[in-house]
Amino acid sequence: FDKFRTDFVNAGMGRFGSGYVWLVLDGGKGKILDTPNAETPLTTNQTPLLTADVWEHAYYLDHRNLRKAFLEAFLDKLVNWESAAKNLRGR
């Protein structure tokens, strides 16, 4: 989990401007990716399992310009893992 957490946060931090960071199922394997603006993996053969909105409006009131703090709080306190598991089972 520690490597996943680090990789997920880094992907979100690496997204310049607005977009999303995703955990997707790609060819039977989990993969972390980031997309700009309103692009989604729904247009590919990837199955979205989990996503974090890294547009500034998603975290500014609680975290100001601290995107990393938002992503860490997202993974530590906000993720609905049951929903992510349901997305995995429902594919």
Side-chain angles (χ1 to χ4, degrees):
F1 180 80
D2 291 338
K3 179 170 176 20
F4 161 77
R5 186 179 184 276
T6 298
D7 291 349
F8 194 90
V9 169
N10 287 342
M13 291 300 296
R15 168 54 38 211
F16 178 76
S18 57
Y20 298 88
V21 59
W22 304 83
L23 172 62
V24 300
L25 194 61
D26 184 14
K29 295 188 177 196
K31 180 179 177 182
I32 297 169
L33 62 104
D34 64 284
T35 58
N37 304 316
E39 289 184 27
T40 77
L42 293 171
T43 59
T44 68
N45 288 329
Q46 298 168 322
T47 302
L49 304 175
L50 174 72
T51 186
D53 183 345
V54 293
W55 293 52
E56 191 175 76
H57 67 255
Y59 59 88
Y60 189 80
L61 289 178
D62 291 328
H63 298 281
R64 299 293 176 206
N65 291 324
L66 303 175
R67 183 183 284 186
K68 183 177 181 184
F70 161 71
L71 288 164
E72 290 170 344
F74 172 80
L75 290 172
D76 295 342
K77 299 177 183 177
L78 299 174
V79 168
N80 183 336
W81 292 110
E82 289 177 23
S83 178
K86 183 179 175 183
N87 290 338
L88 178 61
R89 288 189 304 268
R91 62 181 279 293

